[in-house]
Structures are given as structure tokens and as C-alpha cells.
Amino acid sequence: MKTVSSVVENYIKSQPFLLNALSQGIVNLTSLSRKMMEDLKSEFGKEVKQGAVVMSLKRLTDDLDYRANHHILKVIKNIGEITVRSSLTDYTFEVSSTILNKQAGLISEINTFSNIFYTSSRGVNETNIVISDSVTHLVEKHFAAEKMIQKLSNLASITVKLPEENIVIPGIYYYIFQCLAWEGIIINEVISTSNEFTILVNDSQVDAAFKVIKNLKNATYV
């Protein structure tokens, strides 16, 4: 059975930026409720009392505030080392029966180089390789017979060390990526392990992206 509270919550959840604004208490609930009335009427098939909508928004705001301030922000403040690497290229190849052998050959050869950035991930249909510009010629050599879907150059990576509790607290990545989105940062790639993640951005945006993440660590946003 639909209730005003459940419909209001689903409405807010469908709009991530509004969700964050509510959690920070910077939205006028009465004005927001007026804006929502027509959509809620369509959802219920009848008129909804504005007072009920305002009360539902108030309860939701209190809940969001608790979750943000007592869970997510605690983890965000404990972000560890932030590492930046520049001069990277991102390759995407179509998965094939031979591509793993090609990767093995590439890894064997780049092991002879020092201070090389290399990471790889595989999806259902695509294999991704991010590597230092200085050894892209080796990728071109080993993967010459593979189908390349995309190649992006002039990239930089930002790797962030997260506290171990990040794996049990929902919303950590959402919060960080939302702050990056607000600053107009375009993320070309995301690579993650249990307690760290790496984003790839264009060289022209790496300073801005680093500043956003550093400010999160220093609690500038809270």
C-alpha cells in the first residue's frame, strides 16, 4: 500500500542532487512540497495534503542528516594518502580468445621498466588497460591484432586510500563522485579495490579534481 512517506521518499531518491541538498538542510521544505504536489497527485490518483508532504520531507531530512553526518562523513574525514600520476593512456579492447595471452606478454615486458603505471580490468565484452605514456608502444605492439574500441590520451590518475570501514558504509563513493560532478569533473575511468579507488581524468582537470578530494579529507564540505 502506498503511503505519502514512501512516495515522497521514492521521489527524492530519484533526484540525487536534491537528496544531497536535503541532507545538508539547505532546502525550504514548504516550497519543495508545493513543487511536488502535482507529481504526487498523479502517483496517488487524488489530492495529497501539503502538510503531510512537509512532514514526510522533515522525517526524511532528519534521517539523511544522521546517515551523512554520523556515517559517511566519518569515513570521508579519514581518507588516507592521495596519489596523483600523470601522462597516462587508457585503452579499451574487445574481449577475445587471445587477449589474455597478449596481456601476459605485455606484463612480462613492462616488468623490466621502473616506475611504470599499469592497471587492467575486464568486463563481459571489454578489456581495459591504463598505462604510462612511456610504454604505450608496447601496448600497440602486443595488441596489434586485437580490436581496439577506444584510446584516450592526456590522462592523469588520482588514487585515494580509504579507511577499511568503507566497505560496510553505503554512500561513500556516491558522496565523493557527487562532489566531483558538482565541480564539472569528467571521470573517464574508475578502478577500485577493497580499500582504495583510482579515477582517471583529463590532464586539464586533475588539479581541480585533486582539490575536491583534498577538501573532502580536510572536511571543507562539512
Side-chain angles (χ1 to χ4, degrees):
M1 177 181 175
K2 291 180 180 178
T3 64
V4 174
S5 293
S6 64
V7 173
V8 166
E9 183 170 352
N10 287 335
Y11 178 94
I12 297 301
K13 284 181 177 178
S14 70
Q15 304 185 54
F17 289 100
L18 180 56
L19 189 68
N20 186 70
L22 274 176
S23 73
Q24 296 185 44
I26 58 176
V27 174
N28 184 298
L29 301 185
T30 301
S31 296
L32 176 59
S33 68
R34 282 198 295 266
K35 186 178 187 307
M36 296 170 58
M37 294 302 288
E38 195 61 36
D39 289 331
L40 296 179
K41 180 182 177 181
S42 298
E43 184 74 22
F44 277 103
K46 61 180 181 180
E47 295 286 349
V48 180
K49 291 183 178 180
Q50 187 178 350
V53 177
V54 173
M55 287 303 298
S56 297
L57 287 170
K58 178 67 169 63
R59 285 193 293 269
L60 182 59
T61 300
D62 290 342
D63 181 54
L64 289 170
D65 179 67
Y66 176 81
R67 278 186 279 170
N69 287 304
H70 295 273
H71 295 299
I72 295 177
L73 298 183
K74 179 181 177 182
V75 174
I76 294 297
K77 288 180 180 180
N78 291 322
I79 285 176
E81 183 180 70
I82 305 172
T83 305
V84 177
R85 294 288 297 266
S86 59
S87 302
L88 303 178
T89 298
D90 181 10
Y91 291 91
T92 303
F93 294 97
E94 186 176 280
V95 168
S96 71
S97 59
T98 58
I99 203 160
L100 287 177
N101 290 333
K102 303 297 177 59
Q103 279 187 275
L106 173 64
I107 292 170
S108 177
E109 193 160 1
I110 64 174
N111 275 339
T112 62
F113 291 80
S114 61
N115 200 32
I116 292 298
F117 183 97
Y118 170 84
T119 184
S120 176
S121 58
R122 176 169 172 164
V124 176
N125 300 304
E126 299 177 349
T127 290
N128 173 262
I129 293 174
V130 182
I131 198 163
S132 297
D133 288 348
S134 61
V135 288
T136 54
H137 64 285
L138 297 179
V139 178
E140 310 279 349
K141 179 182 76 172
H142 286 279
F143 288 79
E146 301 295 330
K147 181 179 179 181
M148 185 168 66
I149 299 172
Q150 180 176 263
K151 176 183 176 182
L152 298 174
S153 302
N154 302 315
L155 299 179
S157 69
I158 302 176
T159 300
V160 180
K161 180 71 174 177
L162 295 172
E164 291 184 4
E165 60 265 32
N166 88 89
I167 61 174
V168 295
I169 302 296
I172 304 300
Y173 285 87
Y174 167 77
Y175 187 86
I176 296 171
F177 292 155
Q178 182 178 240
C179 291
L180 289 167
W182 274 8
E183 295 299 325
I185 307 300
I186 298 173
I187 299 176
N188 296 100
E189 199 76 55
V190 179
I191 307 146
S192 67
T193 58
S194 295
N195 299 311
E196 69 178 40
F197 73 89
T198 298
I199 60 170
L200 285 181
V201 299
N202 189 274
D203 278 334
S204 63
Q205 291 195 307
V206 67
D207 290 339
F210 178 81
K211 182 179 179 181
V212 170
I213 296 174
K214 187 171 182 289
N215 284 344
L216 287 174
K217 180 178 178 179
N218 293 334
T220 300
Y221 282 77
V222 301

